[in-house]
Amino acid sequence: MAKVIIIGAGLAGSLLSLFLAKRGIETEVYEARGDMRRQEMSAGRSINLALSDRGIAALKQVGMDEYMLGEAVPMLGRMIHSVDGTTKLLPYSGRKGEYINSVSRGGLNIALINEADKYSESKFFFNQKCVDFDCETGEAILEGGKRTKGDTVIATDGAGSAVRQAMMNGCVSRFNYEQKFLEHGYKELHIPPKSERSAVADGLTSSSENSVKNSNFSDAKLQPPATAGGSDFAMEKNALHIWARREFLMIALPNFDGSFTCTLFLAFEGENSFESIVRTASRSDLLNNNSEISNNYLKPSATADGSDRLLEFFETNFPDAVPLMPTLVEDFFTNPTGNLGTVKCLPWNIGGKALLLGDSAHAMVPFYGQGMNCAFEDCRVLDSLIEKHGTENWKTVFEEYTLQRKPNADAICDLAEENFFEMRDAVADPVFQKKRELETLLEQTFPDYFSKYSMVTFREDLPYAVAKEKGNAQDKLLMEICANVENVGEIDLNEVLEKVKAIG
Amino acid sequence: MAKVIIIGAGLAGSLLSLFLAKRGIETEVYEARGDMRRQEMSAGRSINLALSDRGIAALKQVGMDEYMLGEAVPMLGRMIHSVDGTTKLLPYSGRKGEYINSVSRGGLNIALINEADKYSESKFFFNQKCVDFDCETGEAILEGGKRTKGDTVIATDGAGSAVRQAMMNGCVSRFNYEQKFLEHGYKELHIPPKSERSAVADGLTSSSENSVKNSNFSDAKLQPPATAGGSDFAMEKNALHIWARREFLMIALPNFDGSFTCTLFLAFEGENSFESIVRTASRSDLLNNNSEISNNYLKPSATADGSDRLLEFFETNFPDAVPLMPTLVEDFFTNPTGNLGTVKCLPWNIGGKALLLGDSAHAMVPFYGQGMNCAFEDCRVLDSLIEKHGTENWKTVFEEYTLQRKPNADAICDLAEENFFEMRDAVADPVFQKKRELETLLEQTFPDYFSKYSMVTFREDLPYAVAKEKGNAQDKLLMEICANVENVGEIDLNEVLEKVKAIG
């Protein structure tokens, strides 16, 4: 029986082990952290994620799609929050049934591990950190010196991959590598369910407990919170909320328990920045062996001064959110500040001995909500190539995989970066809002028209690289059209469709 | 007295120590290799280099320009060798006095160390390899654990810089880093002086001795070889020779002793490749801590088969060179095969504690002949900023230095890569040759017209970034013009000049 060593039991690693187990391939999955089914998740990773069609397609292949969607909160569009408190929903698509889904990272990960665990082929080893790779023997080297070997190693150990580090340090000739960072970091904040808010205000519970509660659930399907006489969500439940303020940005995704997880994206330094609020130096031990890309913390300093600056900043920029965030000060000064980086590299494989998959091969910034979806698509594509070539020649599988995936990984990494600027700047721009209106109209009118966002998010049949090329050309055209009209209603949709088709 | 630790006594480090010594700044220079004044240079680095105006301007500042030019062989243009053996000289400039200079790397390095050594401020320590940097204390860590500290550290330790590695491993938050490689490698080969060729053929001397002889000279000024009744050079002395064959390329630079050092640029793998000739696997321990970017060797395998394939390849592609290369087979299978890579990163400094300068900050491929010239310009610019800000605030100096140099380093890295394709493909292209003719005519006619090559190479007053932008726009225009004429004589030069000026 073929045997594959998987490094990391995160989302990619646990789904991959399930894919392989279903093919009768033995897997040993080595995870640096403890078993998340038995302990709280550590902070510093996003609490919820947007699951969309590419990810769903992969889950469907292993029979997990309906289960996971049952625990998801659909998000039908972007809810834009202006400084004056008014809101406006920009739908993700003009078609019914095209939406994205807010899922719990912990819940999804646990469900995948549990499902893989049902197969005797799949074995998980926790608290076993891979620190290096021996490119002569093909062994993964674990902390403490233990070595492990199978027919091959697949590294799903994230942005700070130890296997990629070994490739950089000599396993691969002429290893092409790039890491680049935005000047912005991110910090997660919390909006509790309505029913909890008064309790928090009364000092009966604290937000840090809340923020892990929903990732600490058992295998049993979560039930939506019982809310007598209406929703327990403090804002519109079925939307991704955006406070776009040009130099910075806050978003909020609904959780299944009625809370929202907010993420503030703010420059590290400068006028409006984490530094300007916290006024403490930042520490970094970034991208060390096997560490997360986002392990850079700003030291907490919830001084009276710091709190004042923070509250003033929020009152000025996110006034409608402040009343919903009773633990804002505590959250801000307790939660870590993460980095936002892109990693690209090539090759992805060491002959047939090892392959990088998911973030280890292509870490991206979160602004297209595609990091997990891309990693899941990676698993699906790899599985199809194992189907095609069998398990006798991993080098062939890995080379064909790279040929297929590299242009698409590059494309989604680029799109994710570009979308940062779109979300931060353009979403609040009237021309951009008209463009989104026009796109929605086009999608409502023409079933075979897809916006760039739709191609990336809802068209799992379309490679990212194609979505990027077509989408960017289309965006340029539509922005030009919208810059020259007062009202989207004036536009001749048939004429626009012709022009779109002419792009190719 | 201010004290600066310099890592590496290569070309950049030794020139920098001279610059600083002349300012009364104490320097300790730690060099991993032995003292090249007392031992042969190790293989794997280019034997000669093209010194041009930016490098000369820096040498002039420390009073070393005339001395070095006295040991240089002027190269007035590119001598293009066709497969049929015909040659054609494409001058580097239409103006007199604009040429580049082939200098011995070893000779230049030794001269700089000797000159710096005259100052009590400057101390050199050989066989002392820097392996790490302590970003808390600002100490450079040497092999064996010894630590050394000054007011600051300047890392001129090349493409595999240990200090840059420390920045990558956590000294710097959000360290942006990129390394990328061409699919081509390079190998140095040898054309002896005419007077030696028969001796070699007679087995009286071997080329490997010759190839280090000229880098092993004393402080005394080298005398050109005595050649009774004419030049001892086997080809035109005052040219950079190019055999451009599209998929690959050979060049040759004259040495002061009458020999030429050839460099073959060839793909590692594929139809015409090092692999196809050598048929052995390549080993790599590339870009490890402090190693050179070019330390990837193809294992020697001078089998009868290998020699046959090699000679057939050379006879087919470089027939006119073969008779001049009596030790071709030995050289090919003995000399290492180097990688060709670009390294970019940002930031270049760790506050005021350390700065990357030269290849450690921006390694480039050799195709514009600007690696050393750029590093020397780095030294000159840094010196001018020390002049401006003094030695009390290194952070300010380093930040202003980065602001000035980063766009220019990026530009020359890009230009060097682009020039690979120009040298390999375009130099043999009739339209390109017409373009060079037109550029020469323009330079002869209009004293204030400068081609892209001239702006990069002869205009030390023009930042690389400006030369790149203007030069690329100009190149595009001239190529279009030349694509549409039979003969350069038909072109109205005044009209072209107007168009060039319109570019800006």
Side-chain angles (χ1 to χ4, degrees):
Chain A
M1 187 159 65
K3 179 173 151 188
V4 174
I5 305 296
I6 296 177
I7 310 299
L11 292 166
S14 46
L15 176 61
L16 181 64
S17 111
L18 179 51
F19 261 111
L20 298 184
K22 287 176 94 80
R23 281 205 178 277
I25 298 170
E26 201 181 320
T27 62
E28 290 182 6
V29 188
Y30 292 87
E31 166 59 41
R33 294 182 172 81
D35 187 344
M36 62 173 72
R37 293 169 296 184
R38 295 189 178 84
Q39 61 186 61
E40 285 185 5
M41 267 182 79
S42 61
R45 308 168 102 187
S46 59
I47 289 163
N48 50 25
L49 294 159
L51 175 64
S52 55
D53 287 39
R54 292 172 199 268
I56 294 168
L59 290 175
K60 189 172 185 153
Q61 201 101 347
V62 293
M64 292 285 286
D65 54 326
E66 288 185 13
Y67 178 90
M68 284 319 308
L69 290 173
E71 293 189 356
V73 182
M75 297 184 288
L76 308 177
R78 294 164 171 163
M79 184 70 80
I80 311 301
H81 294 246
S82 302
V83 178
D84 65 11
T86 58
T87 58
K88 182 174 185 180
L89 185 74
L90 304 181
Y92 280 123
S93 168
R95 273 176 293 271
K96 256 193 116 165
E98 286 185 354
Y99 52 84
I100 62 177
N101 306 277
S102 180
V103 295
S104 151
R105 173 194 281 272
L108 179 48
N109 208 336
I110 287 171
L112 291 171
I113 293 175
N114 279 334
E115 187 68 16
D117 238 2
K118 292 178 185 165
Y119 295 79
S120 62
E121 286 88 349
S122 173
K123 291 192 189 69
F124 287 84
F125 301 90
F126 295 95
N127 297 306
Q128 304 256 14
K129 184 179 183 176
C130 173
V131 292
D132 203 355
F133 181 78
D134 185 327
C135 47
E136 296 297 324
T137 63
E139 295 164 318
I141 303 172
L142 306 175
E143 213 164 39
K146 196 187 145 189
R147 286 161 172 259
T148 180
K149 192 174 178 332
D151 300 332
T152 191
V153 169
I154 301 181
T156 55
D157 50 348
S161 172
V163 176
R164 195 188 65 227
Q165 200 61 46
M167 292 165 82
M168 184 100 164
N169 288 341
C171 272
V172 167
S173 306
R174 303 184 295 287
F175 187 59
N176 295 292
Y177 176 75
E178 183 181 14
Q179 61 182 43
K180 59 178 166 172
F181 293 93
L182 296 183
E183 289 171 8
H184 286 60
Y186 74 91
K187 192 182 282 283
E188 290 188 339
L189 303 167
H190 187 67
I191 292 178
K194 275 197 278 189
S195 56
E196 269 182 34
R197 205 189 318 158
S198 49
V200 172
D202 293 346
L204 295 177
T205 178
S206 89
S207 109
S208 39
E209 277 172 43
N210 292 338
S211 60
V212 294
K213 200 182 280 172
N214 70 327
S215 63
N216 195 23
F217 58 70
S218 73
D219 191 25
K221 248 193 190 189
L222 276 185
Q223 294 303 315
T227 48
S231 164
D232 199 21
F233 287 85
M235 302 182 295
E236 166 58 44
K237 170 189 176 180
N238 292 119
L240 189 153
H241 296 262
I242 301 191
W243 294 257
R245 299 293 180 264
R246 298 214 173 256
E247 304 99 68
F248 48 89
L249 171 75
M250 186 166 75
I251 66 170
L253 274 73
N255 294 312
F256 207 63
D257 68 356
S259 66
F260 286 87
T261 302
C262 305
T263 309
L264 171 66
F265 298 96
L266 182 63
F268 279 98
E269 292 166 28
E271 201 193 344
N272 285 310
S273 68
F274 284 112
E275 194 199 45
S276 76
I277 295 173
V278 185
R279 289 281 156 89
T280 58
S282 71
R283 189 182 75 83
S284 147
D285 40 16
L286 162 76
L287 268 178
N288 285 344
N289 185 5
N290 232 17
S291 66
E292 288 291 308
I293 203 164
S294 58
N295 63 358
N296 180 28
Y297 292 68
L298 286 171
K299 288 176 190 154
S301 118
T303 58
D305 258 20
S307 310
D308 288 353
R309 276 198 299 273
L310 173 68
L311 288 172
E312 190 198 327
F313 176 76
F314 266 73
E315 290 289 359
T316 307
N317 295 296
F318 315 118
D320 61 332
V322 174
L324 311 180
M325 305 173 86
T327 55
L328 169 61
V329 173
E330 187 191 335
D331 292 347
F332 188 92
F333 289 104
T334 308
N335 291 346
T337 308
N339 284 322
L340 298 163
T342 301
V343 171
K344 292 180 181 174
C345 64
L346 198 73
W348 283 347
N349 62 315
I350 309 174
K353 287 177 181 165
L355 176 73
L356 307 177
L357 183 143
D359 283 2
S360 66
H362 49 67
M364 66 192 77
V365 294
F367 301 103
Y368 231 111
Q370 288 292 321
M372 170 184 68
N373 291 291
C374 178
F376 282 7
E377 194 171 73
D378 285 353
C379 293
R380 189 177 61 75
V381 170
L382 183 67
D383 181 65
S384 74
L385 291 171
I386 295 171
E387 162 107 43
K388 180 176 168 191
H389 295 290
T391 55
E392 292 305 306
N393 194 340
W394 289 102
K395 185 161 180 276
T396 304
V397 172
F398 294 167
E399 283 174 358
E400 192 167 330
Y401 170 83
T402 304
L403 226 54
Q404 272 197 39
R405 291 302 285 165
K406 174 64 176 165
N408 295 317
D410 282 351
I412 189 60
C413 282
D414 295 344
L415 282 164
E417 256 179 42
E418 291 161 17
N419 220 38
F420 170 58
F421 301 100
E422 175 166 322
M423 287 178 86
R424 193 186 62 163
D425 305 336
V427 164
D429 169 48
V431 178
F432 177 83
Q433 295 197 2
K434 272 186 271 177
K435 194 208 83 176
R436 282 302 301 163
E437 258 183 79
L438 172 59
E439 289 181 312
T440 305
L441 271 175
L442 288 166
E443 293 190 326
Q444 285 166 344
T445 316
F446 309 109
D448 58 347
Y449 167 84
F450 291 85
S451 70
K452 175 168 114 178
Y453 186 88
S454 291
M455 286 190 277
V456 172
T457 310
F458 306 123
R459 290 287 302 273
E460 73 277 6
D461 60 314
L462 221 57
Y464 282 124
V466 176
K468 181 191 173 195
E469 200 192 331
K470 272 191 165 176
N472 280 345
Q474 206 167 286
D475 261 14
K476 193 166 167 267
L477 172 73
L478 299 187
M479 286 296 279
E480 278 165 15
I481 292 171
C482 290
N484 297 316
V485 295
E486 276 298 305
N487 195 302
V488 172
E490 307 163 20
I491 299 170
D492 179 338
L493 296 182
N494 284 298
E495 202 183 303
V496 174
L497 189 71
E498 286 312 307
K499 284 184 181 166
V500 167
K501 281 185 175 162
I503 293 172
Chain B
M1 188 161 66
K3 180 173 151 188
V4 174
I5 306 296
I6 296 177
I7 309 299
L11 292 167
S14 45
L15 176 61
L16 181 64
S17 110
L18 179 51
F19 261 112
L20 298 184
K22 287 175 95 75
R23 281 204 178 279
I25 299 171
E26 202 182 318
T27 63
E28 290 181 7
V29 188
Y30 292 88
E31 166 59 42
R33 294 182 172 82
D35 187 343
M36 61 174 71
R37 294 169 297 184
R38 295 190 177 81
Q39 62 185 60
E40 285 185 4
M41 268 182 77
S42 61
R45 308 168 106 190
S46 61
I47 288 162
N48 49 25
L49 294 159
L51 175 65
S52 54
D53 287 40
R54 292 173 199 269
I56 295 167
L59 290 175
K60 191 173 183 151
Q61 201 99 346
V62 294
M64 293 284 287
D65 54 326
E66 288 185 13
Y67 178 92
M68 286 319 307
L69 291 173
E71 294 190 355
V73 183
M75 298 184 287
L76 307 178
R78 294 165 171 161
M79 183 70 81
I80 310 302
H81 293 247
S82 302
V83 178
D84 65 12
T86 57
T87 59
K88 182 174 184 181
L89 185 74
L90 304 182
Y92 280 124
S93 169
R95 271 175 295 271
K96 255 192 118 167
E98 286 185 352
Y99 52 83
I100 61 177
N101 305 278
S102 179
V103 295
S104 151
R105 173 193 281 271
L108 179 49
N109 208 339
I110 287 171
L112 291 170
I113 293 175
N114 279 334
E115 187 67 16
D117 238 2
K118 293 179 184 165
Y119 293 79
S120 62
E121 286 88 349
S122 173
K123 290 193 189 69
F124 286 85
F125 301 90
F126 295 96
N127 298 306
Q128 302 255 15
K129 184 179 182 176
C130 173
V131 293
D132 204 355
F133 180 79
D134 184 328
C135 47
E136 296 297 324
T137 63
E139 294 164 317
I141 303 172
L142 307 176
E143 213 164 40
K146 197 189 143 188
R147 286 161 172 257
T148 180
K149 190 174 177 336
D151 299 333
T152 191
V153 169
I154 302 181
T156 55
D157 49 348
S161 173
V163 176
R164 196 188 64 226
Q165 201 60 47
M167 292 165 81
M168 185 100 165
N169 288 342
C171 272
V172 167
S173 307
R174 303 185 296 286
F175 187 60
N176 295 291
Y177 176 75
E178 183 181 13
Q179 62 181 44
K180 58 177 168 173
F181 294 92
L182 296 183
E183 288 171 9
H184 285 59
Y186 73 92
K187 192 182 282 284
E188 289 188 338
L189 302 166
H190 187 67
I191 293 179
K194 276 196 277 190
S195 57
E196 267 182 34
R197 203 189 318 158
S198 50
V200 172
D202 294 345
L204 296 178
T205 177
S206 89
S207 106
S208 39
E209 277 172 43
N210 293 336
S211 59
V212 293
K213 201 181 280 173
N214 70 329
S215 64
N216 196 22
F217 58 71
S218 74
D219 191 25
K221 247 194 189 187
L222 277 185
Q223 294 303 316
T227 48
S231 163
D232 200 21
F233 287 87
M235 303 183 295
E236 165 58 43
K237 171 190 177 180
N238 292 118
L240 189 153
H241 295 262
I242 301 190
W243 294 258
R245 299 294 180 264
R246 297 213 173 259
E247 304 100 66
F248 48 89
L249 169 74
M250 187 165 75
I251 65 170
L253 274 73
N255 294 313
F256 206 64
D257 68 355
S259 67
F260 286 86
T261 302
C262 306
T263 309
L264 172 67
F265 298 97
L266 182 64
F268 279 99
E269 292 166 26
E271 201 193 343
N272 284 310
S273 68
F274 284 111
E275 194 199 47
S276 76
I277 294 173
V278 184
R279 288 280 157 89
T280 58
S282 72
R283 187 182 75 86
S284 146
D285 40 16
L286 162 76
L287 269 178
N288 285 344
N289 185 6
N290 234 15
S291 66
E292 289 290 309
I293 204 165
S294 56
N295 63 359
N296 180 28
Y297 293 68
L298 287 171
K299 287 176 190 155
S301 121
T303 59
D305 259 17
S307 311
D308 289 353
R309 274 198 300 273
L310 174 67
L311 289 172
E312 189 197 328
F313 176 76
F314 266 73
E315 291 287 1
T316 308
N317 296 295
F318 316 118
D320 60 334
V322 174
L324 311 180
M325 305 174 86
T327 55
L328 169 62
V329 173
E330 187 192 334
D331 292 347
F332 188 92
F333 289 104
T334 307
N335 291 346
T337 308
N339 285 321
L340 298 163
T342 302
V343 171
K344 292 180 181 175
C345 64
L346 198 73
W348 283 347
N349 63 314
I350 309 174
K353 287 177 181 165
L355 175 73
L356 307 176
L357 183 145
D359 282 3
S360 66
H362 49 67
M364 66 192 76
V365 294
F367 301 104
Y368 233 109
Q370 288 292 320
M372 170 183 67
N373 291 291
C374 178
F376 282 7
E377 194 171 74
D378 286 353
C379 293
R380 189 176 61 75
V381 170
L382 183 66
D383 181 65
S384 74
L385 292 170
I386 295 171
E387 161 107 42
K388 180 176 168 191
H389 294 291
T391 56
E392 291 305 307
N393 194 339
W394 289 102
K395 186 161 180 274
T396 304
V397 172
F398 294 167
E399 284 175 357
E400 194 168 328
Y401 171 84
T402 304
L403 226 54
Q404 273 197 38
R405 292 303 286 165
K406 174 63 176 166
N408 295 317
D410 282 351
I412 189 61
C413 282
D414 295 344
L415 283 165
E417 255 180 45
E418 292 161 17
N419 219 39
F420 170 58
F421 301 100
E422 175 167 322
M423 288 179 85
R424 194 187 61 164
D425 305 336
V427 164
D429 170 48
V431 178
F432 176 82
Q433 295 196 2
K434 271 186 272 177
K435 194 208 81 173
R436 283 302 300 163
E437 258 182 79
L438 173 58
E439 289 181 312
T440 305
L441 271 175
L442 287 166
E443 292 191 326
Q444 284 165 346
T445 316
F446 309 109
D448 58 345
Y449 168 83
F450 291 85
S451 71
K452 175 169 115 178
Y453 186 88
S454 291
M455 286 191 276
V456 171
T457 309
F458 305 122
R459 290 286 303 273
E460 73 276 5
D461 59 314
L462 221 58
Y464 282 125
V466 176
K468 181 191 172 194
E469 201 192 329
K470 272 191 164 176
N472 281 345
Q474 206 167 284
D475 261 15
K476 194 167 166 266
L477 171 72
L478 299 188
M479 285 297 280
E480 278 165 14
I481 292 171
C482 291
N484 296 317
V485 295
E486 276 298 306
N487 195 301
V488 172
E490 307 164 19
I491 300 171
D492 180 337
L493 296 183
N494 283 298
E495 201 183 303
V496 175
L497 189 72
E498 285 312 307
K499 284 184 182 166
V500 167
K501 282 185 174 163
I503 292 172

